[in-house]
Structures are given as structure tokens and as C-alpha cells.
């Protein structure tokens, strides 16, 4: 008898319960499943361990991922993060299908560089195209296609802001896609710093608030902190 091939996922972290720290779902209680691998290498990436080779992912089946989630306690909301979880096709689709069968609300965070059909089954898709400070190039043809395939009510746009060029980029994204709300976050320029970074982050948030408030050309925009950095600094797995 031919041995059945099991689809596996490269998993770096499964943790929670915790809370979403950014964007439309800020404050949402959630479990996190973080996959390894990313097609972007952003200059200020706060999860570079997903792609820089410093850590090796554990290859897990979708059932093993769900078993690990079950060990953490009750949950009805799961966030798929990375890296870029949209690098994964049938193996991620299997996990999505099994979690949806359990009536779990699913969120995903991606820069919008890869299309996967399972995105249509996600309840809340956060697209975070990377601004100039990342030193990455946005492939707008791909992003346009992804946007065209998804229910606009399920999509949120979130841009981390580090400088004036990033604000200009965010305004371009708002004009291009016309979201009901554009979410901006005060970026964390020192994702590997140890110790207390709260005051630095609050100062950056205050400056971003003032800059956006004084610019009447902005449409409907929400300027938010990266809440997890205010609560846990740069600690992982929280």
C-alpha cells in the first residue's frame, strides 16, 4: 500500500492566549501560529528569526498544530503570522479548513506579496505593504490582484510608519485602495533592543499623532501604537 504523504507546515511559534497588538483587531484576544520563511527581509523586521536562519522551524502537520493550540487552552480566534504565511499553499489550506470546521475565527497578517486561494476563507486579512524604510519593493500588480479577489469587508490595511517617506507611501496606499479606514502604527526601530522601550515608543506615537493631525489631506485614518511593545517591550511569545 502506498504511504500517504502528510502535508506539513514550518512552525516557529505557537503561543497564547494573548492579544493582537496592532491594526483593526488591536486588543483582540487570540492565539498565534507563526510560520517560518519570508520573501521580504525588511530592514526593521521584528521577527527576523523567521527568515534569517538563526532558528529552524519545526515541521508539523495541521493536526499537530491544532493539538498544540488545544494544549494552550480554550480559543475561538487564531492569528496566522510569520514571516509570510502566504508562502504556504495546500499545507496551510488544510490547517485553515480544519480550524474553520471548528468554528474558529481566523486572521492572517501578510505584506500582500503572494496570493493563496485559502485567503478567501480567512475572516480578517491584514494587508501590510511595506513602506520605503523597509528597503523592500512592493509588487503592486500582485497586491492589486489580491485585493481584487477578497471581500473588502474582510480586508484591513496597516502601514508601520518610521519617517516622512513612509507617511507619503501610506497616503498613496489610501488613495489607491480607498479603504474605509487606514491603520497606521508607530514603528519600532529597535526590535532587538533589550529592556524598557516604552518611552521611546510613546514618543514616536505622539510625534506621529501630531504629524497626521496637522495634515488635513488625510482621509479616514487611525494612528495606533504597537500595543505589544508598550506591554512587553521586545519580549517574544506573548
Amino acid at each position: 500500500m502506498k504511504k500517504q504523504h502528510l502535508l506539513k507546515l514550518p512552525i516557529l511559534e505557537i503561543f497564547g492566549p494573548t492579544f493582537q497588538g496592532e491594526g483593526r483587531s488591536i486588543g483582540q484576544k487570540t492565539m498565534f501560529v507563526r510560520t517560518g520563511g519570508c520573501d521580504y527581509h525588511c530592514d526593521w523586521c521584528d521577527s527576523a528569526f523567521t527568515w534569517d536562519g538563526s532558528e529552524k522551524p519545526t515541521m508539523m502537520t495541521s493536526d499537530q498544530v491544532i493539538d498544540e493550540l488545544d494544549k494552550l487552552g480554550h480559543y475561538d480566534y487564531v492569528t496566522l503570522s510569520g514571516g509570510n504565511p502566504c508562502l504556504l499553499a495546500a499545507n496551510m489550506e488544510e490547517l485553515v479548513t480544519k480550524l474553520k470546521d471548528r468554528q474558529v475565527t481566523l486572521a492572517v497578517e501578510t505584506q500582500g506579496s503572494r496570493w493563496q486561494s485559502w485567503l478567501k476563507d480567512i475572516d480578517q486579512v491584514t494587508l501590510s505593504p511595506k513602506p520605503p524604510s523597509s528597503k523592500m519593493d512592493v509588487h503592486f500588480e500582485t497586491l492589486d490582484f489580491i485585493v481584487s479577489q477578497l471581500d473588502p469587508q474582510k480586508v484591513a490595511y496597516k502601514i508601520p510608519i518610521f519617517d516622512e517617506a513612509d507617511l507619503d507611501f501610506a497616503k498613496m496606499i489610501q488613495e489607491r485602495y480607498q479603504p474605509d479606514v487606514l491603520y497606521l502604527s508607530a514603528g519600532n526601530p529597535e526590535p532587538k533592543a533589550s529592556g524598557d522601550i516604552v518611552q521611546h515608543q510613546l514618543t514616536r506615537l505622539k510625534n506621529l499623532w501630531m504629524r497626521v493631525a496637522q495634515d488635513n489631506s488625510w482621509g479616514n485614518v487611525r494612528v495606533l501604537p504597537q500595543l505589544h511593545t508598550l506591554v512587553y517591550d521586545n519580549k517574544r511569545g506573548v
Side-chain angles (χ1 to χ4, degrees):
M1 182 180 294
K2 186 176 180 180
K3 187 176 180 179
Q4 183 179 9
H5 176 68
L6 294 176
L7 295 172
K8 293 190 176 183
L9 294 154
I11 302 297
L12 279 165
E13 294 182 310
I14 299 173
F15 62 94
T18 186
F19 295 88
Q20 176 58 257
E22 300 180 76
R24 179 170 65 183
S25 300
I26 192 168
Q28 169 70 50
K29 187 177 180 182
T30 185
M31 300 291 194
F32 271 90
V33 176
R34 188 185 298 279
T35 60
C38 193
D39 48 331
Y40 278 22
H41 297 168
C42 295
D43 206 47
W44 33 251
C45 180
D46 62 2
S47 52
F49 62 91
T50 63
W51 51 262
D52 66 6
S54 62
E55 297 187 27
K56 300 278 186 200
T58 300
M59 301 306 296
M60 301 175 68
T61 66
S62 57
D63 287 337
Q64 288 173 328
V65 171
I66 291 172
D67 285 345
E68 290 301 310
L69 287 169
D70 290 345
K71 290 176 185 177
L72 295 173
H74 173 74
Y75 58 94
D76 55 14
Y77 191 107
V78 171
T79 301
L80 307 174
S81 187
N84 184 7
C86 287
L87 295 180
L88 305 168
N91 42 0
M92 182 61 80
E93 182 176 19
E94 183 177 79
L95 177 63
V96 168
T97 297
K98 289 181 177 181
L99 287 171
K100 292 306 298 179
D101 285 345
R102 292 171 58 140
Q103 308 302 310
V104 173
T105 298
L106 290 179
V108 69
E109 300 178 345
T110 178
Q111 62 265 41
S113 59
R114 297 288 183 92
W115 165 253
Q116 298 293 350
S117 60
W118 54 259
L119 282 170
K120 290 188 175 183
D121 296 320
I122 301 295
D123 300 285
Q124 297 180 2
V125 178
T126 295
L127 295 177
S128 184
K130 303 310 179 188
S133 62
S134 70
K135 298 183 181 177
M136 296 291 107
D137 294 323
V138 176
H139 302 291
F140 280 103
E141 286 187 7
T142 301
L143 185 56
D144 289 347
F145 177 78
I146 292 171
V147 170
S148 74
Q149 296 301 302
L150 296 176
D151 179 351
Q153 298 302 312
K154 294 184 177 182
V155 177
Y157 299 81
K158 181 194 71 177
I159 313 293
I161 302 299
F162 291 84
D163 54 33
E164 196 70 21
D166 289 354
L167 272 173
D168 291 340
F169 174 87
K171 192 173 292 186
M172 180 271 293
I173 292 293
Q174 186 176 57
E175 293 171 353
R176 187 181 187 102
Y177 298 111
Q178 299 289 308
D180 290 340
V181 181
L182 178 67
Y183 296 87
L184 306 183
S185 62
N188 175 12
E190 299 180 290
K192 295 183 179 180
S194 59
D196 188 346
I197 66 170
V198 172
Q199 191 54 56
H200 286 134
Q201 286 300 94
L202 287 174
T203 297
R204 293 183 61 79
L205 177 62
K206 180 180 179 181
N207 291 338
L208 184 56
W209 271 9
M210 293 175 63
R211 178 66 185 85
V212 173
Q214 292 166 1
D215 185 346
N216 293 330
S217 66
W218 278 102
N220 194 357
V221 62
R222 295 184 191 177
V223 180
L224 299 172
Q226 291 185 334
L227 189 59
H228 50 287
T229 66
L230 303 183
V231 178
Y232 294 113
D233 300 302
N234 281 324
K235 187 177 179 181
R236 275 178 52 185
V238 290

